[in-house]
Amino acid sequence: MTGQPRWFVIRNNTPAAATLAFMSLIDLLQGDPREHLGFDPDELKAKYLAERDRRIRPDGNDQYTEVVDEFARYDEDPYTERIERDPVDDEVQVVVVGGGFGGLLIGGRLKEAGFTDVRVIEKGGDFGGTWYWNRYPGAMCDVESYCYLPMLEELNYIPKHKYSFAPEIMEHSKAIARHFELYDNALLQTGVTEMRWDDEIERWIISTDRGDTVRARYVAMANGPLSRPKLPGIPGIADFTGHTFHTSRWDYDYTGGTNEGNLTGLADKRVAIIGTGATAVQCIPHLGASAEHLYVFQRTPSSVDVRNNRETDLDELGDLLPGWQQRRMDNFNVLVSGGDQDEDLVSDGWTDIFRNLTGIAAKTASRQLGRRLTSREKGKLMELSDYRKMNQVRHRVDEIVEDQATADALKPWYRQFCKRPCFHDDYLPTFNRPNVDLIDTAGRGVKRITSTGIVVENADGTETEYGVDCIVFATGFEVGTSYTRRAGYDIIGRNGETLSERWADGMRTMHGLTAHGFPNCFFLGFTQTAVTVNVPHALNEQAKHVRYILEQARDRGAEVIEVTAEAEQAWIDEMKDKARLGARFYAECTPGYYNNEGKPGDNPVGFFAGAYGAGPIRFFRLLDEWRENGRLEGLDLK
Ligand code: NDP
């Protein structure tokens, strides 16, 4: 290792080293950690900060291009031919906006509770939400399928693999819709354009881009947090005359192939992909295998750890007694929220990260020390464990990628949760293919797009243009813009007040689910609620809660439910009080949507602005207790 900076030195890099030895936790806290780590944490931190600094841009979240006007085609549905139909003018009991997991869960839970007249309005041509849109080759879920796919017990279904591929998840979504007969009343290929509360008739009036007028007593918003594709604000992006598309609108007519790859249409094509986030990590191996030449344009590398996907082994799932999925979800949720469990049922990269970084590591150290750790010690332990974990991730790059310069460029220099951790076994080996080039932009991003290619600036200030036939934008989704802009419509509540006005300085809800001035309206997703790795778990808890409220209203003969201004304010105060989701942590992170592109705290509608700081365990318990006491605290019913 002569000549290498000290942070490259890793003493203990076997997979088993992922679990830090108990004694070493104490060693890390006492004395000079360099002796035990084999690297200098201060030096490493300085490296992280330097890498962050060169990526910070003054335009932050404004750097992206919205998919409107000349870019509107990037938002169009390439999967389902548009079916013309007459406008609908009628009334239903409940309108659910969005047919993804949130919509399926709330729709299904309400059907279970005897609300028969539920209508889902969905922009896509079918149910599935993110799994309808994200059909790119290699698309798969990176959370264990037995926890992630909703309602497995209700549908008596066991996924085929530990991590499901997108087509299976889409099929499962459709199966849920069929099971709860949600197709019967659905309006697919339909975008809501406005939702207006009519105080006279105590109904919502929903208008759509198909000219529909639907009246509904209740509305539930399940629009999804990452649903609107975004484009990079690269000069010249509109000048390119070759083929382009966004990963969430994959053009199989052009590429050929399927989710399993075999993209025969690319055999004679020079393909560029811009972006190396969680999506790109999954589709790059297929592009590399099929394209004549693939250029991967990278601004910031992802952290990519072992996937180890495998076919389902029923033995691994245990007894499958009633309630098995909820128990597995709860076990996973506790572990990935920093809690402790006797058994790690999922036992994968996610739980491994959390075992090392959060509560369990601290608890172990505290047992060994014979006293509680101070919060400073806990923070230090987490930071040092994080450095070790990321050293291991970086070491994995060296082990797999043959060309040293490419390997070095693929190493992520930030803490584990600055960006979404990725897990893949074919991503890094793709860079050993002779037809694949990593074009690392050293944090600067692509400089310019011309009519025939992509220009990057080299370290010496010169430029290189790469001629390509096709550009795939793996540049993610709108985050941190207003709720109503992402939803694509405004909600007009009591007294004509719009949700965009009401939430102009940040969301205002009780439990993330209801807002004062917007009676009979419920929000699912990432609105002042608990954020957890397994998003469908949170959506299910929200759906169960809304079901309970509507059941109570029905049983009590109430027509209108509205959160009081006081209860809403109390929840906002509670959110503020618990807003400890690491302001400093994210300030030190490389830019990304987790930290509002390097400006955490600057955006009242940023990704984590809607996250309940006390975490999902506490939040789910809070909802349980609220239901158990039966007082419907904070709600006015009439
Ligand atoms: P991301 O927002 O995570 O990634 C966008 C990528 O585009 C980044 O690599 C970004 O670089 C890059 N980029 C943006 N602008 C430029 C530019 N001007 N020049 C060069 N590169 C640029 O989007 P993804 O679609 O990858 O993922 C979004 C989310 O979807 C994930 O975080 C995850 O939550 C979810 N997802 C979940 C999966 C699952 O299995 N459950 C699978 C895939 C996605 P930089 O990092 O520098 O900003």
Side-chain angles (χ1 to χ4, degrees), residues 352-591:
D352 175 63
I353 295 173
F354 282 91
R355 272 201 311 267
N356 290 325
L357 296 190
T358 58
I360 303 171
K363 248 191 209 163
T364 309
S366 136
R367 260 201 302 272
Q368 298 283 318
L369 281 169
R371 63 168 172 81
R372 288 166 76 98
L373 301 189
T374 62
S375 54
R376 210 176 144 267
E377 282 174 329
K378 275 191 201 159
K380 184 175 167 192
L381 189 62
M382 274 175 69
E383 189 168 356
L384 296 174
S385 307
D386 196 321
Y387 291 154
R388 272 176 73 142
K389 179 71 199 168
M390 290 300 278
N391 269 342
Q392 193 196 335
V393 166
R394 288 185 284 268
H395 184 74
R396 184 167 179 260
V397 183
D398 276 332
E399 281 183 330
I400 295 173
V401 178
E402 290 153 12
D403 176 69
Q404 193 58 53
T406 306
D408 287 346
L410 284 165
K411 288 175 191 159
W413 297 105
Y414 46 81
R415 286 180 65 176
Q416 185 84 68
F417 282 98
C418 287
K419 285 188 178 285
R420 168 110 180 174
C422 300
F423 307 91
H424 211 287
D425 297 335
D426 302 322
Y427 176 70
L428 294 172
T430 299
F431 294 95
N432 293 332
R433 302 184 76 104
N435 66 324
V436 176
D437 281 319
L438 177 73
I439 311 299
D440 180 50
T441 62
R444 288 184 293 266
V446 165
K447 175 108 194 248
R448 209 169 56 245
I449 294 180
T450 67
S451 62
T452 52
I454 295 182
V455 178
V456 298
E457 191 180 317
N458 305 310
D460 61 4
T462 59
E463 292 182 348
T464 304
E465 177 168 356
Y466 297 86
V468 295
D469 302 302
C470 169
I471 303 176
V472 179
F473 291 107
T475 44
F477 303 87
E478 260 196 41
V479 186
T481 51
S482 77
Y483 181 88
T484 45
R485 168 171 149 171
R486 281 178 290 125
Y489 58 92
D490 214 337
I491 305 177
I492 302 147
R494 225 191 260 291
N495 307 321
E497 188 179 24
T498 63
L499 191 72
S500 48
E501 286 160 4
R502 180 91 181 142
W503 286 8
D505 298 324
M507 287 175 259
R508 301 183 62 82
T509 72
M510 180 175 80
H511 300 155
L513 291 167
T514 53
H516 182 64
F518 297 82
N520 290 5
C521 174
F522 298 91
F523 302 92
L524 279 87
F526 281 44
T527 44
Q528 299 196 314
T529 184
V531 172
T532 177
V533 171
N534 187 20
V535 174
H537 185 167
L539 293 171
N540 191 34
E541 295 300 321
Q542 294 165 9
K544 284 192 306 194
H545 199 72
V546 174
R547 173 181 67 187
Y548 170 81
I549 293 171
L550 296 203
E551 279 176 321
Q552 288 298 310
R554 184 177 59 191
D555 295 351
R556 299 175 193 208
E559 296 256 318
V560 181
I561 309 159
E562 184 176 354
V563 62
T564 64
E566 297 73 31
E568 183 185 83
Q569 188 56 48
W571 184 246
I572 292 163
D573 295 343
E574 166 74 1
M575 287 287 296
K576 275 199 194 121
D577 184 51
K578 300 292 183 309
R580 54 181 170 75
L581 247 177
R584 205 188 105 219
F585 176 90
Y586 282 110
E588 291 179 354
C589 275
T590 190

Side-chain angles (χ1 to χ4, degrees), residues 43 133 228 233-234 242 455 505 582 623:
E43 225 174 307
W133 297 107
R228 205 159 181 245
I234 300 173
V455 178
D505 298 324
L623 292 188

Side-chain angles (χ1 to χ4, degrees), residues 276-314:
T276 51
T279 296
V281 164
Q282 294 182 341
C283 68
I284 280 171
H286 292 290
L287 288 173
S290 295
E292 178 191 291
H293 202 95
L294 176 67
Y295 295 103
V296 177
F297 290 87
Q298 173 181 273
R299 190 165 69 177
T300 310
S302 276
S303 146
V304 187
D305 209 345
V306 176
R307 172 69 305 167
N308 191 18
N309 196 9
R310 49 195 183 270
E311 285 183 12
T312 294
D313 171 2
L314 285 178

